[in-house]
Amino acid sequence: MPARLFILKLFQRGLRAVDRGICWGCCLACFLPACLNGQEHEQPDVSGDHAAQDAPRQVVDLARRALQDSLPEVAVDQLSKLRDTGRLDEQGGLLLIEALVRSGQTDEALQYLDEHLDGSNAKMTFWRAAALAGSGRFEEAIVEFHAVVTMGPGTPHWEEACLSGASLMLSMKRDQEAQILLENLAGNGNALGRSVASLRLAEYSLALGDHAAALEWLGPPDSDWDAMEAAAAIIRARCLLKAEQPAAASMTLAPLLAVDKGLSRLEFVLVRLTAADSLAQENKAEEATRILVALIDAYPEAPFLDRAFDRLAAMGAFVEPSVLDYLQSWSDDDEVERALLARFSRAVALKQADRMTEALAAFVEVVATEASARSLARRALLEMAEIHAVNSETDKARECLQSAETESIFLPELQARINYILGLIQWGEEDFEGAATAFSEMKGNPQDTLVAAINSALAAIRADNEEMLSNALTLIGQSEASVDLHAQIRIEEALVAASEHRPKAQSLLKAVIDHFPDHPRLPEIELVLAETFLLSMPAFPRAAEHHLDRAAALGLQSDALRERADYVRVYIAESGFDDAGVIHHAGYFLKKWPGGDLALRVRMKLAEVYDRNHDYPNAQTQFEILAEELGGDDAMKETALFFAGRASMALFNPTGLGQAVETFGRVVELNGGLAPIARLYQAKAKRRSGMDGEALPILDDLIEKETNSAIRLQAMVEKIEALITLGESGEEESFEKAEQVAQFLNSEFTDSRSRFRVAFLRMKIKERLGDIQAAVAIGYEAITIGASEPQNIIDPGVLGWLYRLGFNTANLLERLGRHEAAVHVVEQLAGTTGDRATEARELAEQIRLRHFIWDQ
């Protein structure tokens, strides 16, 4: 029986895609004072009376203020005009590069650096690094950031280089190098740099699951973080959530929730997101939902708005009518970003409701919308890839992954999601080793690690790779909580091995019984072990019965298992050649479990046993019931009807033959693979009912159209015999037709068996016509095929027709008084190796004694 298998799915946590560009690490890094932005900007020099320089200096001052006000596009516009007039000096050029980088025009920044600025200093190196990072050239960017770091504290942009380099390293899984940079900044930077580094180290520790270390970096709750008080409070609250102290986390955030002034937009949003997490962990989903809905509704352009939607999805809030109403209104409003996020979230809600076709169409719409941000389109593509993978549409799933450009993703949580989808795809392609590898690479939080290990173990079981399975079990660990997981996985291994008839199945099942004697699934294991003994070659019915009895004694817990056990008892009797037992257990099974696939199989077996024991009435009944229970498109229905017709035909009475004709007609109507042979048997049944004339059109049609040589041969033989019968009833022209068919059959089938059979039929025709001499000639010619050939025939079928032909020829010779010739024919038969050779020797002696025939 097939073992049960469940692939664990990732929880819907709203994993967020990161577009190509500088990956500033976790969420808090995005609102920590903009990489210490503004610390290196020089104040305008208002001294002197250089009138020629006044206008350029005013433009540079305006650009500097625009950068401080987060308007890099304005700075680019103003400084580009100076550049085009050739009045932009090196200081202004560096400001233009900064503006280009901050506005996302990193390729232009790199080009300007290469074409207009000679030499290299800390400022140029830093902005080159930032431009490289923005262009996706992360390895080169890290080298440049490191070059600034090595210049030592006090160097312009030193703090920013430490922080940016560490962020890139974390994104690229170079964790230890990043930690070194951050610790360097925490120990040697200016006051703001030290604070930023401490927060980043706290967040890094939190990402590793070490909330205690994170709290150490944060210090006591009354620590003075000055401008970064909100950032510290949010990280502290997240640590408390990891420590499963949601009430304390809520208290930490309460002062920040109460006042909005003094918080940046990003701080304002993240305080509410974290507060919602705290409430959700306190099982106050309604309050958490209210905070998130209010945030989305009132701040349609707030940063990280997607995370608010994701939290609503994770809490299952999309099933609430009020939230659905908001989703609908947001989907149709003029705020493009919020509208797209709402449409995406509606697609997620459809997916959560298992309405996959509608969800897929909704995700396609998000991807096709030109206004969709690349990160949102990527998320939609990943959702589509997962749906296709679950549906085993692996080519479409791979296409979605390719469109998502997953190779540019470094966010660990999102990479875990991608590996999960890859694992699903490879599972669907039956590349189980590949799936095990993909699942094992799901690196993320502890829950992801556990899911990865379990999925990897399940795939390793399918791949029959013990090393991979052992590695996965090691990842699961040895804690008390994991004991049951180990048992379940080992049970799954044994059940899969049994379902695939692997040689080690029995030893694995026995090991499970030995190692987990109190496991609640032990009765099921005993049942499966019984099945393996029954299916082995040769079968061991006694061992199967022993383990089946143990399973029953332990107590099978479900109807499905009890049904399987009763099913196995039927086949234990079958394997032990106990037909009476099969009939008894099959009858019990059909009474207790009348529906389902197993009942169909048992009824077929019961019908076969009745047929095997020549109990044709019961066989016919069971085959007919089976045919009625099967659907019209089930291939077994045709088989059941055919054998019902065979059983009816075997009754040899008018009623049975009439039923056979009708039943074979139903098989023909199904027009399946058995239709030709059913038509042949229909013709046979008509002949046995004395309707040879009605059988002839059926036989003629088979001879004309059928390509199967065995069916054509039988149809010709039946036609010859039908014509002979019609000839005997007075239609003498039928003998001539029979002779013509026999001649045609003889020309088409030249093997010995067919040749003997045709000769026998032609002898019957000549005999019925009274031409005994011709009949003898046909028989003698057929069996005289060489002095030694009859002695070399070993095929029982060929020998059978040779005996019928030879004995009939000898009988006709005796009728003609040709006793000596009859002796020679019979003695040819006596020289064969078949079961009638002795009979032929005895007959030859009798003829010799009776007629005093002795060779000289």
Side-chain angles (χ1 to χ4, degrees), residues 233-312:
I234 293 171
I235 297 178
R236 190 180 303 279
R238 289 169 59 198
C239 289
L240 293 169
L241 287 177
K242 286 288 185 182
E244 299 184 358
Q245 300 178 41
S250 295
M251 290 180 61
T252 301
L253 295 171
L256 298 176
L257 278 173
V259 292
D260 295 342
K261 292 182 179 180
L263 297 180
S264 70
R265 271 201 319 161
L266 194 52
E267 290 170 340
F268 177 85
V269 170
L270 289 174
V271 164
R272 278 149 183 77
L273 292 177
T274 311
D277 291 340
S278 303
L279 290 167
Q281 194 168 323
E282 288 185 85
N283 295 318
K284 298 178 180 179
E286 186 175 345
E287 296 178 46
T289 299
R290 192 180 304 119
I291 287 176
L292 294 170
V293 168
L295 174 63
I296 297 170
D297 196 52
Y299 301 93
E301 295 181 351
F304 293 126
L305 203 62
D306 56 340
R307 299 192 179 190
F309 280 98
D310 290 343
R311 280 163 170 77
L312 289 173

Side-chain angles (χ1 to χ4, degrees), residues 219-239:
D222 58 354
S223 298
D224 183 12
W225 286 92
D226 196 20
M228 285 175 288
E229 180 181 356
I234 293 171
I235 297 178
R236 190 180 303 279
R238 289 169 59 198
C239 289

